[in-house]
């Protein structure tokens, strides 16, 4: 386990080769050239954030979370990777995630989303909270209802 900025990365860290797409996203987010973003990183399966909730909270790959970034505000995503990468000579703890598009509200006011092919890279500290996604009966396309069960804890 490695500690960094009030969080603990768990699972044995494994070498991870960043794709050019990931390196471009990191370069764009940090205002760097592509050459300043290294092509190697260390990946982890989960992260413990001790300041979340009452006794801390574990976030794992494939879980759905709310990420807050200056570019997009609150976004529902599924975590696809948690990793440490060298960015301009500094170790950064980052997440890669698959975005969900907000498609409106259900009949009873719940937020509805659909999966997309859009991915994001963000600092790990941009995770706000966990959410659950439940299948919602929509005849058009596969739609998911966001169950934001932790919203009141974090607001």
């Amino acid at each position: 386990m490695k500690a960094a900025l009030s969080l603990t990365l768990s699972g044995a860290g494994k070498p991870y080769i960043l794709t050019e797409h990931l390196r471009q996203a990191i370069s764009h987010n940090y205002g760097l050239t592509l050459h300043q973003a290294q092509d190697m990183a260390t990946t982890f399966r989960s992260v413990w954030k001790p300041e979340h909730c009452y006794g801390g909270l574990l976030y794992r790959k494939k879980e759905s979370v709310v990420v807050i970034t200056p570019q997009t505000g609150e976004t529902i995503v599924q975590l696809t990777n948690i990793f440490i990468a060298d960015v301009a000579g500094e170790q950064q703890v980052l997440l890669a995630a698959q975005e969900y598009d907000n498609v409106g509200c259900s009949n009873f006011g719940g937020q509805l989303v659909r999966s997309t092919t859009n991915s994001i890279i963000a600092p790990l500290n941009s995770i706000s909270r966990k959410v659950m996604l439940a299948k919602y009966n929509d005849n058009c396309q596969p739609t998911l209802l966001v169950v934001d069960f932790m919203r009141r804890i974090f607001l």
Side-chain angles (χ1 to χ4, degrees):
M1 292 188 184
K2 293 188 179 188
L5 304 172
S6 75
L7 56 89
T8 303
L9 299 166
S10 60
K14 296 180 182 175
Y16 177 64
I17 298 173
L18 297 173
T19 64
E20 186 157 340
H21 172 73
L22 289 175
R23 290 180 57 226
Q24 286 174 345
I26 291 168
S27 299
H28 175 74
N29 288 356
Y30 287 90
L32 307 171
T33 66
L34 187 60
H35 299 292
Q36 290 174 300
Q38 299 292 320
D39 59 353
M40 289 296 297
T42 304
T43 186
F44 298 86
R45 72 173 178 255
S46 59
V47 60
W48 173 257
K49 296 188 83 173
E51 78 281 3
H52 274 204
C53 212
Y54 299 108
L57 201 55
L58 184 72
Y59 293 91
R60 295 183 184 111
K61 289 180 185 179
K62 298 186 181 178
E63 286 187 324
S64 299
V65 300
V66 175
V67 171
I68 301 175
T69 64
Q71 298 87 358
T72 61
E74 279 196 3
T75 305
I76 309 293
V77 300
Q78 182 182 49
L79 295 174
T80 56
N81 209 338
I82 299 166
F83 60 98
I84 296 176
D86 187 321
V87 179
E90 290 187 30
Q91 296 288 305
Q92 299 289 331
V93 185
L94 303 169
L95 65 86
Q98 202 71 32
E99 272 186 302
Y100 289 95
D101 269 344
N102 187 1
V103 294
C105 294
S106 67
N107 295 338
F108 56 88
Q111 180 182 3
L112 297 175
V113 295
R114 289 196 184 118
S115 60
T116 70
T117 57
N118 300 337
S119 59
I120 65 165
I121 300 291
L124 196 68
N125 64 4
S126 63
I127 293 176
S128 173
R129 60 193 179 272
K130 289 186 182 187
V131 295
M132 292 187 292
L133 300 178
K135 289 183 182 178
Y136 185 77
N137 189 11
D138 184 355
N139 295 330
C140 299
Q141 290 184 347
T143 305
L144 301 164
L145 175 68
V146 178
V147 181
D148 198 351
F149 66 99
M150 300 185 88
R151 184 173 189 82
R152 292 180 62 196
I153 296 170
F154 289 101
L155 293 180

